[in-house]
Amino acid sequence: MIIVIQCKDQVGLVAAIAGVLANENINIVSMREHADTIDNRFFVRIEAEQYADHKMLEEKLYDVLPADATVKVNPSPEKKIIVLVTKEYHCLTDILIRNHFKTLSATVQCVIGNHPGLQNICQRFDVPFHLVSHENISKEIFEKQMLSIIRQYQHDYIVLAKFMRILSSQFLEQFFMRIINIHHSFLPAFAGANPYKQAFERGVKLIGATAHFVTNELDEGPIIAQQIIPVNHSFTAVAMMKAGKEIETAVLARALQLVFDDRVFVYQNKTVVFE
Amino acid sequence: MIIVIQCKDQVGLVAAIAGVLANENINIVSMREHADTIDNRFFVRIEAEQYADHKMLEEKLYDVLPADATVKVNPSPEKKIIVLVTKEYHCLTDILIRNHFKTLSATVQCVIGNHPGLQNICQRFDVPFHLVSHENISKEIFEKQMLSIIRQYQHDYIVLAKFMRILSSQFLEQFFMRIINIHHSFLPAFAGANPYKQAFERGVKLIGATAHFVTNELDEGPIIAQQIIPVNHSFTAVAMMKAGKEIETAVLARALQLVFDDRVFVYQNKTVVFE
Amino acid sequence: MIIVIQCKDQVGLVAAIAGVLANENINIVSMREHADTIDNRFFVRIEAEQYADHKMLEEKLYDVLPADATVKVNPSPEKKIIVLVTKEYHCLTDILIRNHFKTLSATVQCVIGNHPGLQNICQRFDVPFHLVSHENISKEIFEKQMLSIIRQYQHDYIVLAKFMRILSSQFLEQFFMRIINIHHSFLPAFAGANPYKQAFERGVKLIGATAHFVTNELDEGPIIAQQIIPVNHSFTAVAMMKAGKEIETAVLARALQLVFDDRVFVYQNKTVVFE
Amino acid sequence: MIIVIQCKDQVGLVAAIAGVLANENINIVSMREHADTIDNRFFVRIEAEQYADHKMLEEKLYDVLPADATVKVNPSPEKKIIVLVTKEYHCLTDILIRNHFKTLSATVQCVIGNHPGLQNICQRFDVPFHLVSHENISKEIFEKQMLSIIRQYQHDYIVLAKFMRILSSQFLEQFFMRIINIHHSFLPAFAGANPYKQAFERGVKLIGATAHFVTNELDEGPIIAQQIIPVNHSFTAVAMMKAGKEIETAVLARALQLVFDDRVFVYQNKTVVFE
């Protein structure tokens, strides 16, 4: 059983929470607590061994916590996700494979693409694919068409698996901190377009990738995970892009695992990640 | 203030501990808890913001814990250490530099060498160096001579910074889980002598180093930290050794920092490390 | 155009080889040379820009090289491979995805499994799957059945993508240095069975994976690539195995890319890898 | 013997160079060649076994190369360096230790500090320390005073080991591509001042360091080496800075080793590094 709690920090929170658990005779296997003493926020993630009435436990925890608290007891271990893609396959197929073999900790409800290229691979995995082309229509209509599909499916998160269109504030605000993007650079270096071309021209010795929640500020949302790989003078911009795809796949997979395991808390423009 | 506790696991421990802190109005900044559900052991490390009467707090914690508990409130932030060396300088000088600039979280009381080569560098840092040669004497007498020097200094830990003699059970049992060694391989690969020669002959692509507590079983004590670096066909055994020294220095420095910050718990033949 | 040459070392080899290329007006883009001065072997890999009559160029190179030389000009960029599997999917699906999107630098001719579990995923990618069960038959007959299938397909390499049967000398010697295995540990640590259980019990802080050519000596063939990931006390043996699968997938993918790009030379029990 | 050559690319260069060596009966142990096909530049580094008349060999190589070639045969294995510092000790002491034990591949001629804090540690290693305060004088005069000291010593390179003053174009142009700096971020992320504060506020999960040659464009010169380490929510800006110092020390040490071993070529605003 996983318990995650976020609220404003004050003395006695751990005692109060652990007291509730002890009263219910629930043993704690692993506990991670963090207090941001600058922003005065409290975060805790508890793995507890025994099972109980989740609803009642949640209420008992709310009873001892500040009014602003959010408590989730046993957050659904199987999240539901919708994946948005354009042409590149590498992140999508990694998700489809894990989904197929039930090691994703989530279920892919459908894939929406603004290009038909990845329809075939979705079909091979019996995952619904919806084509919503952005061509010859306004962004407003493009997003409305996507929204009408999204609403057909239950979903906890939307994953931008190399989706190459910029989404509007109107679209984004409907999924606050529930859209996860993989950015093809070690943010904040090389934000924006063509990061591999920028990296090549700058002659860097490492390239990276960043998984983050999407906010209105392009490439500026809370960072979930980052990784890098070494490159050198023998890498052309194309070779850097190829190497980058490997690291993009790995970082997005890692970030999704962390989010789906309820290890990621968001506040301000940051994350607390209990790895 | 740091609080570390180890005891047998049972329901309600976190509530009991956090209850004591809450009663004293002590806020918890960061808390790491782990229960080994196989061996039934409980470990917790708490960083708390406010200060209090450490002795009294320790007693109040003992009052609510199982009989086998060990509690340390604010374990001395400045540990005292004795360093044993032979000829190689790289680990010793890293320690001496950090000691000199007071970033080691410990104080080097003295250095004992079984070879005079590193005396000069110790003198440059005003650190006492004691030469205890192993030549022409029995191991028993060699160790007795070292012990008589060790007893002159207060010490929390003994660090084997490339000390190339094997110590007897009689010696080791006087410093149970208080001797830290750096082993020049990625244990358990290449245990024993000449690991770089072994690695070269095997044609490995990574070499590593392992910092561990020393037990009677050679190279078999609880592991604190490990790291690796890539090597390739162009590395001779000598080049591997040179690269290995860099990683040995880094791993020992990391392990000492973890131990001196009271982030390492030992039980069975393992460690719990709250990084 | 890629040119790879291995022969005994002697003065003037680079001059002789580069002389042939210069005579044909072929520009060298990138060149990696290594001489093992202990074993007296010479290795070179050349990426050259212009194209020419590969057959004739090969002959002209043989003309200036020692009698034991092996020369390959423009080795087929698309290798043909056969993949052997048991039950675990992670390495196989990584290969199937790259094969499907033509980024493997090789073509999967067929998959042979000693268990039916991975048949379905092969069918989804239109890759032939052959079931050869080892149950109730001798190893000799088991291998004969596999050989009769292998002989139906052209193949440059056989990839053991988590194939959990030990192959006989008789089988192996037919594919000398053409069988690539992924071993689920950082060899030579934890050779043999259940490496994750061994790693868990030893309390290591890193686990790894090793891709190597298969020889008669179990887990002792020439190493192509190795990588590691950090683990800690919170990892059960099962969690280590799960983390290990990620690194196994990555290391095998890396090793295959290196081999298929003709960057790996084998001699003695070692490799020269021009990354 | 090391031979390094840079010139414009053309067909036959390797043949010409290797031909000269073969004529002199010089065996090549290891050779790295790279041609930048966009910028039309040729780079080669040769490790050769036998020794010869270096001056004559250099001339024979110049005879067969384009007019713009630079050839160095056996570039002095012991470089001479001057180190500039301010207050932070970590990069300086790493250099001083290696210098003292003769593993730096260079000799520290002197240290110049604009603050007296590091004088004592230089004295402990018998390395001349010159204090040139920037206070109450113009940058012009400050740099003149430094130049007058620099001119007293032979030097191949000037190393900015956490020297916190920005040098003028007039100063820099006298040491074109001979000044090496360690920048406390993963450039181009967080260029400029206070990178750790920037990194903390952005909530990054990795921080890095970059060693580069210094040009007029601040933090924009050719990159020699970069590395990163993971950080997380528990790191304050101060803790990030502390972790950063470890990686700064390691990256600068690595970059110096590469430069002093003649593995680094500079052209345009990039480097070719034959690791």
Side-chain angles (χ1 to χ4, degrees), chain B residues 3-199:
Chain B
I3 302 166
V4 292
I5 299 171
Q6 183 180 161
C7 60
K8 76 178 172 66
D9 193 27
Q10 63 185 45
V11 171
L13 287 174
V14 174
I17 294 162
V20 169
L21 299 184
N23 276 342
E24 303 299 315
N25 207 34
I26 298 169
N27 197 25
I28 295 171
V29 175
S30 178
M31 179 168 178
R32 296 287 298 270
E33 186 264 359
H34 174 68
D36 185 321
T37 55
I38 297 170
D39 286 316
N40 204 35
R41 298 296 296 165
F42 170 89
F43 310 88
V44 73
R45 180 182 189 273
I46 297 168
E47 293 182 29
E49 227 180 5
Q50 298 90 343
Y51 284 77
D53 179 336
H54 297 157
K55 197 69 203 163
M56 190 194 67
L57 184 60
E58 217 169 276
E59 279 165 27
K60 293 196 174 186
L61 287 166
Y62 272 120
D63 284 349
V64 300
L65 291 167
D68 75 325
T70 57
V71 177
K72 292 192 223 166
V73 175
N74 200 28
S76 62
E78 278 296 298
K79 268 64 179 180
K80 291 182 172 60
I81 65 170
I82 292 172
V83 184
L84 270 57
V85 299
T86 299
K87 290 183 185 176
E88 290 173 88
Y89 74 87
H90 54 289
C91 288
L92 173 64
T93 50
D94 186 80
I95 292 169
L96 289 176
I97 288 286
R98 292 173 199 266
N99 180 64
H100 184 78
F101 287 97
K102 303 192 184 313
T103 54
L104 181 64
S105 304
T107 306
V108 178
Q109 303 289 91
C110 75
V111 175
I112 302 174
N114 66 322
H115 190 274
L118 296 172
Q119 177 154 27
N120 177 275
I121 192 72
C122 291
Q123 287 169 341
R124 286 175 188 266
F125 285 101
D126 307 323
V127 169
F129 177 92
H130 300 274
L131 175 64
V132 182
S133 174
H134 63 282
E135 285 181 22
N136 304 319
I137 56 173
S138 69
K139 178 180 283 201
E140 201 186 336
I141 296 184
F142 173 59
E143 294 186 346
K144 265 192 188 160
Q145 293 182 358
M146 286 203 296
L147 280 173
S148 78
I149 293 165
I150 289 170
R151 289 202 190 100
Q152 297 169 28
Y153 297 94
Q154 283 189 297
H155 57 277
D156 298 292
Y157 295 99
I158 293 174
V159 179
L160 309 187
K162 306 292 293 174
F163 179 70
M164 305 309 275
R165 310 298 302 172
I166 295 172
L167 296 163
S168 72
S169 313
Q170 289 71 36
F171 185 94
L172 293 174
E173 67 196 14
Q174 304 184 49
F175 309 99
F176 184 66
M177 294 304 167
R178 297 201 290 125
I179 303 184
I180 298 164
N181 184 45
I182 179 70
H183 187 270
H184 41 333
S185 94
F186 181 68
L187 291 174
F190 308 128
N194 278 331
Y196 295 117
K197 186 162 175 291
Q198 290 182 62

Side-chain angles (χ1 to χ4, degrees), chain B residues 89 93 97-98 100-101 103 105 118 120-121 123-126 242 246 257, chain D residues 89 93 97-98 100-101 103 105 118 120-121 123-126 242 246 257:
Chain B
Y89 74 87
T93 50
I97 288 286
R98 292 173 199 266
H100 184 78
F101 287 97
T103 54
S105 304
L118 296 172
N120 177 275
I121 192 72
Q123 287 169 341
R124 286 175 188 266
F125 285 101
D126 307 323
K242 191 180 168 194
E246 302 286 331
Q257 187 72 54
Chain D
Y89 74 86
T93 49
I97 289 286
R98 293 173 198 267
H100 183 78
F101 287 98
T103 54
S105 303
L118 297 171
N120 177 275
I121 192 71
Q123 286 169 343
R124 285 174 188 267
F125 285 102
D126 307 322
K242 192 179 167 194
E246 301 288 329
Q257 188 71 55

Side-chain angles (χ1 to χ4, degrees), chain A residues 181-254:
Chain A
N181 183 47
I182 179 69
H183 188 270
H184 41 330
S185 92
F186 180 69
L187 290 174
F190 309 128
N194 279 329
Y196 295 118
K197 187 162 174 291
Q198 290 182 63
F200 172 73
E201 286 171 358
R202 184 64 187 85
V204 295
K205 301 304 183 190
L206 301 173
I207 58 172
T210 303
H212 63 102
F213 289 104
V214 180
T215 58
N216 275 337
E217 304 303 313
L218 186 65
D219 299 341
E220 288 289 331
I223 293 171
I224 305 164
Q226 300 188 292
Q227 280 181 36
I228 57 88
I229 41 168
V231 293
N232 60 47
H233 60 270
S234 75
F235 282 68
T236 59
V238 169
M240 281 194 185
M241 188 183 299
K242 191 179 168 195
K245 286 177 181 179
E246 302 287 330
I247 202 75
E248 288 167 17
T249 306
V251 172
L252 182 57
R254 178 83 186 124

Side-chain angles (χ1 to χ4, degrees), chain D residues 90 149 251 264 272:
Chain D
H90 54 288
I149 293 165
V251 172
V264 181
V272 168

Side-chain angles (χ1 to χ4, degrees), chain B residues 191-229:
Chain B
N194 278 331
Y196 295 117
K197 186 162 175 291
Q198 290 182 62
F200 172 73
E201 285 170 0
R202 184 65 187 85
V204 296
K205 302 303 183 190
L206 301 173
I207 58 172
T210 302
H212 63 101
F213 289 104
V214 180
T215 59
N216 275 338
E217 304 304 313
L218 186 65
D219 299 340
E220 288 289 329
I223 293 171
I224 305 165
Q226 300 189 292
Q227 280 181 37
I228 55 89
I229 42 168

